[in-house]
Each structure stands twice: as C-alpha cells, then as structure tokens.
Amino acid sequence: MPFATRPATRFCTLLWLDVPNESLWHNDAEGDFKWGGEDDEEDAAASGSEEDVEGDGGEKVERGRGDDDRSLESVGEEDSEDDDGGLESVGEIDISAGGEEEDRSFEGAAEGSTAAIASDTDEDGKIDLDECLNSYISNLIGEINDAAKALPSDPFQDDQARKKLQAVAQKLSGALEAPMDTIRKMNYQPQSLAICRIAIKGGWFKALADGDNPKTATELANATGAERELIVRLFRVLTAVGILAEVGRETYASTPVTNALTHPPIYSAVEHFGCEVLRILVELPEYFVQNNYRMPSGPSETPFVDVYGKGIYDYFKDNPVRGSNFNVFMEGHQEGKRNWLDIYPLQDRLAPGLKEEESAVLMVDIGGGVGHDLRNFGTRRGSMPGRLVLQDLPSVISEVDLSKKPEIEAMTYDYYTPQPIEGARVYYFRSIFHSWNDGICQTILKNQISAMKKGYSRLLINEMVLHDSEVPLYSAAVDVQMMAIPGGIERTEIQWRQLLYSVGLKIVDIWVVEEGADSIIEVDFWD
C-alpha cells in the first residue's frame, strides 16, 4: 500500500502504543522494528507510575503538593529555566511532583498495549505492524465501550465521563486516518473559521435560527441579501465538519453550534481568532526564521508586535472597535466552564484563624476586571467576615458598577507596584501570570509578598497547570497563543514550582477545576 494511504499508526507505533520504555524498540539488521528481550520488558513494566488524582476531576490533586518541609533535591539545572526573564537555576532543588517522577503517558491502555505487542511478535522478535494496529484498534474499541457505559443518558451532565469518551473516540479516529487524511484536514481547517466569520457578519446563522425551522438556501438568501449560490458553496464546508446540519437538497437546520454562534461572547471569540490571532499564526513561521527559532524574550518582541507594530493592549486602545469585540469575548470567556468556587473548600482553608475586626481584608482580587470572580466569592463566603477589594487599572475600574454589590471596594492598582493592602487573608490572581515571562512574574509576586503576613496570608492562583505529556489540544494551543501575543507561557507544575520557589514561595495544594483548563494553586511562604 502506498505510504500516503496507509494509516498513520503503522508508522507511528512508538508514539501511540503507550509503550513504557521506548528504548526497547530498535532496528535489526534488516531495518525492521524489533522488541527488546524479556529482561527489558520487565524493566519497562517496572517503569510505569500511576497518576494520583482523587475524585471526579474536580478535587484536590495529590501529585506534587508540598510535604512542605520535604527537601527539594532533584530538579537540577536541566529542569530550571534559563531565559532573559530572570528565573535563576534552582540548583539541587526538587520541585517535582510529590517526590516521584510523574508519567502521564499512560491513559489507561499501557498494560493492554504492551500485551498486544507481545502477542504480535514472531519467533525472531519482529513486530507484525498490521496485527499490532489491529490490536491497538481493538483495545480502543474496548475502551470506548467501557467509557460509554459510564456515560449518563444526558452526556453533558457528567463532563468528565463525556470528555473521557471523547478522548478515546478521537484516538480511534486518528488510528483510522491515513497520513494524507490528517494533512488534508489540517490544511483546510482554516476555511471553517473564515466561513463562520462570513456567516456571522452576514447574519446567516441568525436567519437560520429564526423560527427553529429548516431553511433553504433561497430563503436564507432572501432574508439576508446574500447570493444563494454563495451560501450553498460555503455551507458545504460547514456541514462537512458538523457545524451545520443539511437536512435536504440546499436545505439547512440549526445545530447547538450554530445557535451558540449567534451569542455575542461566542461570535466575538470567533471574530478575534479569525482576525487578530489568525494573522499572527500566518506570520509565525517567518517570525521564528528571522529570530533563529528562539522564543520571544519579552513582551516588546513578540510575533504580535512584529505583525501589528505594538503590543495587544496598545493595539486595542488605537482600534476601539477591535478592543470592544475583545472585551465582549473575554467577558463571556468563562461561560460553560466549571466554577472554581465549586471545587475549592473555602471554609476549610480560609475560615480557621480568620481576623474578625472591621478593617480586616478577606480577599483582594488583583487585576480582577469588572469583579466577576469577586462577586461570586462574596456570595459563597458564608459567615466569613472581612472586606472584599477589587483592584485593576484606572481605565478598568472606571467602568465597574458596584451599585448592587456595596460590600465590594474598587481600587485602582498596577501590579507592577507594591501592594497597598497589607495582611489580607487571600491575594487572588486569575489568568494574570500566563501573560508574562518569569522575570515579570517575579516582579508581580514580590510586590504581593511585601504585603503578605507570614502564617496568615495566602496566594490563590487560578490558571492552567499543564500536564508533563499528552497535553490536550486546547491547553497546548493556548500556550502557543500566549507566547505569540503577550510573550507569556502556560506552565507545567514543575515550572510553577520553580517560579514560586525563586521568590520564596511554595505550592501548598492544587485543585483541578477543569481537566485541561484551569486549576486553583494555593501558595504560601516557605517555612
């Protein structure tokens, strides 16, 4: 079978079969893949480790938490950052997860995959790749059946079960793709985004949703003024990728996706990604060619600045229409996401020893925008006393309406300056540090440390904590976007520990709010 039409897994077995030790694979004299000896197999079986995560994906993660006085002894120079951001080598400090090396490459199929490999080797130890592929697919089908049994009648009532089934189904789909299938899908994917922007701007989705009845291309053309044949040709792409439903010849029906695309926060996101972000991605290869394949050294040298001639916030200041679209997108960014207050145990972590005097501050939301998180916190704090303070730049605070939340105080503050509120119980940051490199983050953190009371104050950081391997597409793509636009980074747990250790702080606990998305990192001083 020609290379371009054979399933990719036949040539990517090392990547997809969850083999414990890739060094067991080698080429024999004839150039065939060969499996190592029995002793090597035993070593491989011993090298696996299980991820220690409790609960349903929204509970405390036991990996890598501070035993707090444990010695940090193994992350040497190779694990520490060496960039212009200013994070020094951590030396002989172990900031790894819980003292054991974490292996996230096993998502449940390691034993089955290894057994399948063993059964597919001949007497000479050579791999029959066709049989290996069949075994892999059979294992995935078994995983799909198991995951489907755990799914409730309404899949969206159990997000973890739904996403588990979705992840395995995507692996099966990938296993059945030939290389050119994958490449074609990648090459033509930008069309979907561009066509959605056209349909949004032309009012096609709104016209389709009006009345909840299927509509012909002619009816949509009459309702919107667009050319009928243009609608037909562009909607072919959207029906092919499942965004739109075609229920008859040139007849279309709304789907949950097209209905969502009629809501301002959603279509504003599509507009932002299809305009500002897509233009950066188009120029990204040339940027790295010109910069010798080095990451941006600071916020003034990013691909965004290279394309637009200024940073993103200055760009939006000079282009208020684009800035307004971005603000609408960000205001609705958390729609459909799990609330961190459903996961983090407020009373258990904050109530003991809480100051009760009138002047005491319970929580400071730093860079909190219009106060969405702080408002929610106020409704969940129960009987815990203390002031709630919202901080942001003057241009943001001037737009905040707290008439219905008199218990919240609004204060102008720039986190590049020392924190004026001293001795608060909680200093809270949401989606701040991923915008900046380590050097800038160190400055921000030090400005809070100067106000924190040791033994009483805590930092709560609401951001992604990336897996060390098999990072979900959403998380990985956001990381690239943060690098390209403000010059920031989404961090792994080890990177978070290195950053915090560099300013005298430690991670106490991590709570996963949504797998592959946000986590709550509770931070305290080193003893």
Side-chain angles (χ1 to χ4, degrees):
M1 186 181 294
F3 175 83
T5 60
R6 298 189 68 180
T9 45
R10 300 179 188 228
F11 295 89
C12 301
T13 309
L14 293 180
L15 297 178
W16 290 9
L17 277 180
D18 295 330
V19 178
N21 188 344
E22 62 186 28
S23 65
L24 297 176
W25 292 87
H26 61 276
N27 290 87
D28 63 13
E30 298 175 0
D32 293 319
F33 278 125
K34 190 171 182 180
W35 181 251
E38 293 181 358
D39 292 340
D40 288 335
E41 287 186 53
E42 293 175 359
D43 292 340
S47 69
S49 62
E50 295 182 0
E51 181 179 358
D52 187 3
V53 181
E54 295 183 359
D56 62 356
E59 298 166 34
K60 183 168 60 181
V61 174
E62 298 295 340
R63 67 178 194 278
R65 305 205 334 259
D67 292 323
D68 303 338
D69 56 335
R70 63 183 169 82
S71 66
L72 300 171
E73 289 178 355
S74 69
V75 176
E77 295 180 0
E78 65 182 16
D79 274 335
S80 58
E81 297 287 341
D82 183 17
D83 57 28
D84 295 336
L87 180 58
E88 300 294 334
S89 170
V90 184
E92 297 183 359
I93 303 263
D94 178 5
I95 342 186
S96 63
E100 292 186 5
E101 182 180 351
E102 184 177 1
D103 189 343
R104 293 176 175 271
S105 65
F106 298 70
E107 294 294 335
E111 292 186 8
S113 298
T114 305
I117 293 169
S119 67
D120 293 334
T121 55
D122 61 19
E123 293 180 356
D124 297 326
K126 296 179 182 178
I127 300 299
D128 184 332
L129 291 181
D130 287 338
E131 290 297 326
C132 201
L133 173 63
N134 291 336
S135 296
Y136 178 64
I137 291 174
S138 295
N139 287 341
L140 287 176
I141 292 172
E143 289 187 45
I144 287 175
N145 288 331
D146 292 341
K149 291 175 184 177
L151 206 64
S153 56
D154 181 357
F156 292 92
Q157 293 298 314
D158 188 338
D159 210 43
Q160 185 187 23
R162 178 182 65 83
K163 287 186 175 180
K164 182 177 181 180
L165 178 57
Q166 184 184 42
V168 182
Q170 287 174 344
K171 283 187 177 182
L172 179 60
S173 176
L176 296 172
E177 285 186 356
M180 285 310 301
D181 293 336
T182 305
I183 292 168
R184 287 192 188 100
K185 184 168 65 176
M186 175 185 68
N187 287 344
Y188 290 106
Q189 199 168 31
Q191 285 195 12
S192 301
L193 184 60
I195 292 170
C196 280
R197 289 184 66 205
I198 294 168
I200 289 167
K201 289 177 177 291
W204 300 358
F205 291 149
K206 286 186 177 180
L208 187 62
D210 185 24
D212 294 327
N213 296 316
K215 293 179 176 60
T216 66
T218 299
E219 291 172 326
L220 291 173
N222 291 336
T224 63
E227 185 179 7
R228 182 197 61 80
E229 189 174 354
L230 176 65
I231 293 174
V232 171
R233 296 178 69 179
L234 297 187
F235 271 10
R236 285 173 184 156
V237 174
L238 299 189
T239 56
V241 297
I243 291 175
L244 192 64
E246 188 172 17
V247 296
R249 182 178 181 275
E250 297 184 3
T251 305
Y252 312 97
S254 291
T255 66
V257 177
T258 55
N259 288 337
L261 287 167
T262 65
H263 296 291
I266 307 300
Y267 66 66
S268 294
V270 172
E271 180 64 17
H272 171 64
F273 281 91
C275 182
E276 282 87 12
V277 176
L278 190 58
R279 184 178 170 191
I280 297 167
L281 296 178
V282 169
E283 299 296 333
L284 205 57
E286 184 61 25
Y287 171 88
F288 284 113
V289 169
Q290 296 298 323
N291 288 275
N292 296 316
Y293 300 97
R294 298 292 185 271
M295 294 187 296
S297 59
S300 63
E301 299 178 7
T302 65
F304 190 96
V305 173
D306 202 50
V307 170
Y308 291 99
K310 60 191 74 175
I312 186 170
Y313 298 110
D314 288 335
Y315 165 80
F316 286 142
K317 189 183 299 182
D318 296 340
N319 297 271
V321 173
R322 303 304 309 168
S324 176
N325 179 81
F326 180 76
N327 289 337
V328 173
F329 157 47
M330 292 306 296
E331 286 173 10
H333 183 55
Q334 298 302 320
E335 283 189 13
K337 288 189 175 183
R338 206 171 187 180
N339 192 322
W340 70 278
L341 293 164
D342 293 333
I343 308 304
Y344 183 75
L346 291 179
Q347 297 294 329
D348 291 344
R349 307 301 295 183
L350 303 182
L354 188 64
K355 294 179 181 179
E356 297 186 3
E357 54 264 33
E358 187 176 344
S359 61
V361 176
L362 175 58
M363 179 169 166
V364 184
D365 187 356
I366 303 153
V370 297
H372 178 77
D373 278 19
L374 195 59
R375 295 168 199 256
N376 286 338
F377 179 88
T379 63
R380 300 285 194 96
R381 66 169 169 173
S383 61
M384 286 192 292
R387 296 158 54 200
L388 305 178
V389 180
L390 173 67
Q391 295 181 332
D392 214 310
L393 296 173
S395 59
V396 178
I397 293 297
S398 64
E399 300 296 324
V400 175
D401 179 12
L402 296 176
S403 58
K404 296 181 180 180
K405 290 287 183 179
E407 71 275 18
I408 296 178
E409 306 170 30
M411 172 186 294
T412 60
Y413 171 64
D414 183 342
Y415 48 58
Y416 290 120
T417 64
Q419 173 61 249
I421 302 293
E422 297 183 353
R425 181 61 158 168
V426 175
Y427 295 88
Y428 174 80
F429 289 88
R430 180 175 199 146
S431 300
I432 298 296
F433 295 107
H434 74 159
S435 296
W436 310 114
N437 63 27
D438 290 318
I440 293 174
C441 289
Q442 286 173 324
T443 298
I444 297 170
L445 288 166
K446 288 175 181 178
N447 283 330
Q448 312 313 310
I449 290 171
S450 63
M452 293 171 63
K453 182 179 179 181
K454 195 170 185 178
Y456 181 77
S457 300
R458 293 286 175 93
L459 278 177
L460 291 183
I461 299 174
N462 190 342
E463 296 220 16
M464 286 187 187
V465 179
L466 297 185
H467 293 179
D468 293 325
S469 62
E470 293 194 351
V471 177
L473 174 60
Y474 170 74
S475 305
V478 171
D479 178 46
V480 173
Q481 186 172 315
M482 298 315 297
M483 173 179 61
I485 296 178
I489 178 175
E490 300 292 350
R491 295 172 171 86
T492 65
E493 183 176 336
I494 288 178
Q495 289 173 318
W496 276 113
R497 289 183 180 276
Q498 289 176 325
L499 171 62
L500 294 165
Y501 177 81
S502 72
V503 293
L505 299 174
K506 65 179 179 181
I507 292 177
V508 178
D509 279 302
I510 298 175
W511 283 264
V512 176
V513 178
E514 186 172 348
E515 193 65 38
D518 298 329
S519 294
I520 292 293
I521 309 170
E522 185 175 328
V523 180
D524 198 359
F525 288 97
W526 272 101
D527 295 331

